[in-house]
Amino acid sequence: MVSLFKEKKNVDVLICGAGPVGVFLANELAEFEINFRIIEKLEKHPEFSKALLRSFISIHGKRCQSETSRYTPRHYLIDALHEKKTMRKKHVPNVEFCMELIKYEEKDDHVIAVVKNTKNNVEEEIICQYLVGCDGVHSTVRKGINGWTFEGQTLKSSWGLADIEIDHELIKYDQITNFVVPNEGIIVLFPLGARKNTFRLVVKICDEEKKNETNDHVTHGLTNETPLPLEELQKLIDERIAPIKLELKNPVWISNFRINERIVNRYRTGRVLIAGDAAHCHSPLGGQGLNMGIQDAHNLAFKLALVIRNQAADVNKLLDSYEHERYPVGKNVIEGTGFLTKMMTGNDYFTTFIRTRVAPILFQFFPQSVFNFQNNLMQNNLHYLPGSSEILHKYKPRSGVENKLIEAGHYVQDGLLMKITSHKLHERITMFDIFRSTALKHTLILFTLNKGVTADCNPLIETLLEIYNDYKNTITPIIISYQGIVHDADVPFMPFQEEGREQHIFVERQFELHEKYGVMKEFGQQAFVLVRPDLYVASAVFEDDVDELKAFLDQYLAKADR
């Protein structure tokens, strides 16, 4: 039967896949008021998710990440999208279910995507500027271009995964519990906070011969197999940890899998990009799959917005930076989780020796090294390298003084400030509060030390205004000074008054935030720090090198008069 065609429709971005990554990207594009559609071939979202949604709960006086609900991550993001719609933001569509991408073709200035409504078999052509595949490891988007490969391997171990109730005095609902069984691997219990005695159970079942698999049976880095019945799962746990008896009951779901470690050879081909599981999959140990996908979308969204709004100086350089920044992160996480999986589950002599003899010594005598490895695995110290991305400023100060400035590619630092306005002098605010108010643009910070905030006493104020006037569409300027330097008499002469805007001048009681960003009092030089919408530093220069900042901006953002 020949499918009927609806009329063609135009859109800036077509998102294929409405899992957490796709819906997160949709939320980001909605904030930027980009015209998009998001399609999903499923009839509805599954009630439960294998991806843990992480939030903070208190564990023995410390803050630890754990799942707070069986309500899936995508549901929270769908609610956020609906909220934007009720707030009458422009171009906020609903997720279109039962809509499957059939094929697509890239042209010089657009992509033609053919999608089919699986309920009535009616096909539709969507003309979009950009197509983004957030459609998982089976990605139709990735498979739609020859030469786009998903490289890696399927590991030989067979695993069990379940959300299940366990009630035992040894198992605490507010902490992760591990059992390392010699020659058998591990059993891990992650608490699911919404129900006191419900845990995510991960258990190694057995080792198998390594199989050279296609990715046809891969889901979220896991190759699906026939689920292990509850009775057999109970018997397996009993045999592993006897004489301890853990009663397993009321499973939400049980799944068997084998681990896949795969990553694409590229994240972008022309006007087509991919994110999340479509780009990478790995061992669930470390719980970074969802985090990586969300970070992909966060990195990509503002770049698409700049391009679609014609605010990028070089479109290809900007879009290429998505792959240049995210590919090394994906590669490192795959290698880190692969190493951890091998160390936790390997039965050979060397691995067993490392796990049982060397690891305890590292934990006892080199805790900082262990902490650093954990932070790297959890992406807590994630930063991008200026040498690998053309939209990160490769800066070295001309002065011979040691450069302590925060580096391009690093995540921003938080700190406490006071807001200066003509109405109120001491309204407390955090640096992250400021970034939330400027999130749709880049933020250009001038750290003035004790040099003042008016043009007559600080020539860099005019420089800041000059840059701002060149990039009004893409930059919000702010000034951070020292409390004892700003006086009531300065208020009428502060910058931005002609804009009729709320003041963007803040002070701190000590130079703590200055020092966090590397603007040292003893050095005596003011500094500019340019922060991207994803809260990574794009550039940081001392006042003597402001011409280098201007040259960088000229190659990065389009000026307001274009």
Side-chain angles (χ1 to χ4, degrees):
M1 179 178 177
V2 179
S3 297
L4 299 175
F5 272 89
K6 289 184 179 180
E7 62 183 75
K8 297 180 181 179
K9 294 184 179 179
N10 292 1
V11 69
D12 290 328
V13 179
L14 174 62
I15 303 172
C16 182
V21 177
V23 182
F24 183 87
L25 179 61
N27 273 275
E28 295 277 282
L29 294 180
E31 287 290 345
F32 288 108
E33 298 189 339
I34 299 299
N35 185 16
F36 71 93
R37 287 175 68 176
I38 177 169
I39 62 171
E40 170 59 57
K41 66 181 180 180
L42 296 178
E43 184 175 352
K44 62 178 182 178
H45 283 137
E47 182 181 358
F48 305 111
S49 173
K50 293 180 182 179
L52 293 177
L53 178 62
R54 296 181 179 275
S55 62
F56 287 102
I57 60 173
S58 177
I59 294 184
H60 302 311
K62 298 183 179 180
R63 301 191 73 190
C64 177
Q65 290 186 327
S66 177
E67 184 178 272
T68 58
S69 177
R70 288 161 53 196
Y71 196 48
T72 68
R74 60 172 65 88
H75 283 117
Y76 287 100
L77 295 167
I78 287 287
D79 289 348
L81 199 61
H82 289 164
E83 184 178 351
K84 290 178 177 64
K85 196 176 184 71
T86 60
M87 294 169 63
R88 299 189 181 277
K89 278 192 173 290
K90 295 180 181 178
H91 313 304
V92 184
N94 294 319
V95 175
E96 299 177 50
F97 291 99
C98 299
M99 294 290 282
E100 182 178 6
L101 177 67
I102 304 301
K103 62 181 179 180
Y104 62 88
E105 181 181 5
E106 183 182 358
K107 301 294 186 179
D108 288 340
D109 60 353
H110 64 277
V111 177
I112 301 175
V114 178
V115 301
K116 182 178 73 173
N117 185 316
T118 58
K119 285 189 173 181
N120 57 21
N121 286 329
V122 173
E123 293 185 357
E124 173 187 354
E125 281 191 356
I126 301 175
I127 299 175
C128 54
Q129 287 195 53
Y130 294 94
L131 169 64
V132 184
C134 303
D135 47 346
V137 291
H138 303 293
S139 175
T140 302
V141 174
R142 187 188 66 241
K143 294 177 181 179
I145 293 180
N146 291 331
W148 216 336
T149 60
F150 204 29
E151 301 165 349
Q153 64 177 348
T154 301
L155 303 186
K156 60 183 179 180
S157 302
S158 179
W159 293 71
L161 189 69
D163 281 1
I164 201 162
E165 287 185 17
I166 302 174
D167 189 4
H168 192 283
E169 60 182 9
L170 292 178
I171 311 301
K172 307 300 181 182
Y173 70 90
D174 59 353
Q175 66 185 27
I176 297 172
T177 303
N178 292 311
F179 295 92
V180 180
V181 186
N183 301 320
E184 297 290 353
I186 62 170
I187 299 169
V188 187
L189 299 173
F190 297 92
L192 306 183
R195 296 174 62 185
K196 183 174 179 179
N197 296 319
T198 303
F199 296 83
R200 169 69 52 84
L201 168 66
V202 183
V203 55
K204 181 181 176 184
I205 298 175
C206 64
D207 287 328
E208 300 177 355
E209 291 300 321
K210 186 178 294 186
K211 298 180 180 179
N212 295 320
E213 298 224 9
T214 65
N215 56 31
D216 292 339
H217 303 290
V218 178
T219 337
H220 305 290
L222 316 175
T223 298
N224 283 350
E225 300 175 329
T226 304
L228 198 67
L230 177 61
E231 296 75 15
E232 292 189 28
L233 183 61
Q234 179 72 68
K235 181 180 178 182
L236 178 71
I237 299 297
D238 290 345
E239 291 174 350
R240 296 278 175 87
I241 63 173
I244 300 172
K245 175 72 173 178
L246 298 182
E247 183 183 358
L248 311 181
K249 56 185 179 182
N250 299 328
V252 176
W253 52 265
I254 300 175
S255 176
N256 282 26
F257 64 89
R258 278 180 293 114
I259 297 170
N260 281 266
E261 297 175 343
R262 300 182 186 275
I263 190 167
V264 287
N265 56 334
R266 57 181 182 265
Y267 280 48
R268 175 198 176 212
T269 297
R271 292 178 171 270
V272 184
L273 307 101
I274 53 175
D277 290 342
H280 42 70
C281 62
H282 55 85
S283 167
L285 292 182
Q288 293 306 297
L290 178 59
N291 290 350
M292 283 177 61
I294 295 296
Q295 289 167 5
D296 287 346
H298 193 42
N299 184 285
L300 178 59
F302 83 92
K303 297 174 181 178
L304 282 174
L306 286 174
V307 168
I308 290 166
R309 291 173 169 179
N310 296 315
Q311 294 172 343
D314 187 321
V315 169
N316 285 320
K317 181 189 292 185
L318 183 60
L319 292 181
D320 282 345
S321 73
Y322 168 58
E323 176 183 322
H324 295 161
E325 292 175 2
R326 293 306 301 166
Y327 181 87
V329 175
K331 194 73 172 174
N332 288 339
V333 169
I334 288 172
E335 290 173 354
T337 56
F339 174 79
L340 181 62
T341 301
K342 182 178 180 181
M343 288 297 104
M344 294 291 286
T345 64
N347 294 326
D348 60 278
Y349 174 80
F350 175 75
T351 304
T352 303
F353 177 78
I354 294 293
R355 183 173 61 237
T356 59
R357 301 292 186 181
V358 177
I361 295 174
L362 290 176
F363 274 96
Q364 182 175 358
F365 296 104
F366 302 97
Q368 187 61 46
S369 298
V370 175
F371 180 75
N372 291 341
F373 173 79
Q374 181 184 23
N375 268 348
N376 289 332
L377 180 64
M378 299 297 181
Q379 305 176 74
N380 292 333
N381 293 328
L382 175 64
H383 62 271
Y384 303 125
L385 300 176
S388 64
S389 175
E390 293 192 67
I391 66 163
L392 296 174
H393 191 183
K394 304 168 190 65
Y395 167 73
K396 290 185 179 180
R398 288 179 292 179
S399 63
V401 178
E402 180 184 359
N403 181 20
K404 295 184 179 180
L405 265 182
I406 189 169
E407 295 182 35
H410 282 244
Y411 199 70
V412 295
Q413 298 286 318
D414 199 10
L416 187 63
L417 294 164
M418 289 180 292
K419 188 175 184 179
I420 303 299
T421 72
S422 58
H423 307 291
K424 193 173 184 178
L425 291 180
H426 301 296
E427 182 180 343
R428 292 161 69 92
I429 191 171
T430 68
M431 197 71 194
F432 279 4
D433 289 331
I434 296 170
F435 288 134
R436 273 189 283 272
S437 69
T438 64
L440 301 184
K441 292 184 178 182
H442 290 67
T443 307
L444 182 59
I445 310 167
L446 171 59
F447 286 95
T448 70
L449 289 168
N450 55 1
K451 305 295 177 64
V453 297
T454 59
D456 61 337
C457 63
N458 188 347
L460 284 192
I461 300 299
E462 289 292 346
T463 304
L464 179 66
L465 287 172
E466 176 189 337
I467 296 173
Y468 166 58
N469 286 327
D470 281 342
Y471 298 97
K472 282 186 177 183
N473 296 333
T474 50
I475 285 180
T476 298
I478 70 168
I479 298 171
I480 298 179
S481 188
Y482 181 57
Q483 181 181 12
I485 303 303
V486 183
H487 306 285
D488 292 348
D490 293 330
V491 172
F493 305 100
M494 288 179 180
F496 318 122
Q497 291 280 24
E498 72 280 4
E499 296 291 324
R501 301 165 68 241
E502 186 177 4
Q503 297 300 320
H504 282 246
I505 300 177
F506 308 89
V507 298
E508 56 177 342
R509 291 176 177 170
Q510 298 179 359
F511 286 108
E512 292 178 359
L513 200 58
H514 278 73
E515 291 180 355
K516 282 184 178 181
Y517 282 78
V519 187
M520 312 307 292
K521 188 176 182 180
E522 59 269 22
F523 187 24
Q525 278 217 42
Q526 301 175 78
F528 289 95
V529 177
L530 180 68
V531 178
R532 307 187 323 191
D534 64 350
L535 301 190
Y536 285 87
V537 175
S539 174
V541 302
F542 289 118
E543 59 182 280
D544 285 350
D545 297 318
V546 69
D547 286 343
E548 290 195 33
L549 171 62
K550 292 179 180 179
F552 169 75
L553 284 169
D554 191 53
Q555 300 296 314
Y556 177 31
L557 300 175
K559 290 188 176 181
D561 59 358
R562 278 182 49 179

